[in-house]
């Protein structure tokens, strides 16, 4: 799945391969905890959190990996913890769901949440 045509995140989650579903359910739960259910939307064909036209966070189930789009600021803030994880500019990628570091993801989400609160204050 590169880009989903799902109307909402529930429909997107139904499209996910069964072996990835538990990890994506956990990732979604962390995003909902950080930003609340009102922030959840589909943007660019993937689940996203924040304003629909320019969300703060997104994730996707790609053919070869799970992608977590968190932005360059969070990537820079956690560069030491990302050293042994496949990542690019603003995106972390896991080939195997069982290798996902949910403590790191939660910390990155909190970093983004705090930053968005500061930006809106």
């Amino acid at each position: 799945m590169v880009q989903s045509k799902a109307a909402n995140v529930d429909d997107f989650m139904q499209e996910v391969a069964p072996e990835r579903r538990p990890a994506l359910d956990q990732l979604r739960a962390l995003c909902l905890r950080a930003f609340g259910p009102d922030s959840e939307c589909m943007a660019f064909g993937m689940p996203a959190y924040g304003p629909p036209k320019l969300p703060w966070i997104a994730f996707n189930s790609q053919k070869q990996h799970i992608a977590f789009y968190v932005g360059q600021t969070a990537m820079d803030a956690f560069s030491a913890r990302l050293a042994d994880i496949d990542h690019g500019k603003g995106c972390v990628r896991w080939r195997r769901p069982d290798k996902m570091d949910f403590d790191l993801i939660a910390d990155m989400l909190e970093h983004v949440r705090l930053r968005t609160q500061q930006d809106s204050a």
Side-chain angles (χ1 to χ4, degrees), residues 19-71:
E19 65 274 7
R20 290 187 178 185
R21 183 69 191 259
L24 290 173
D25 282 340
Q26 190 171 351
L27 179 54
R28 181 185 187 189
L30 289 172
C31 291
L32 288 169
R33 188 175 327 141
F35 300 108
D38 291 341
S39 71
E40 186 174 73
C41 61
M42 289 295 291
F44 311 105
M46 62 186 134
Y49 300 83
K53 294 189 186 221
L54 192 58
W56 307 305
I57 299 291
F59 64 84
N60 206 350
S61 181
Q62 301 288 353
K63 184 176 182 179
Q64 298 294 325
H65 59 267
I66 292 173
F68 176 54
Y69 300 92
V70 68

Side-chain angles (χ1 to χ4, degrees), residues 67-115:
F68 176 54
Y69 300 92
V70 68
Q72 192 60 48
T73 304
M75 299 289 289
D76 292 343
F78 293 92
S79 61
R81 290 174 65 187
L82 289 166
D84 295 329
I85 301 172
D86 182 22
H87 63 281
K89 199 169 195 170
C91 175
V92 185
R93 297 176 289 268
W94 291 275
R95 284 192 176 274
R96 295 180 44 199
D98 62 318
K99 296 295 183 185
M100 293 176 73
D101 183 343
F102 289 103
D103 291 332
L104 171 61
I105 292 169
D107 290 346
M108 294 177 94
L109 289 169
E110 180 65 7
H111 174 85
V112 173
R113 188 187 68 76
L114 292 172
R115 192 180 81 232

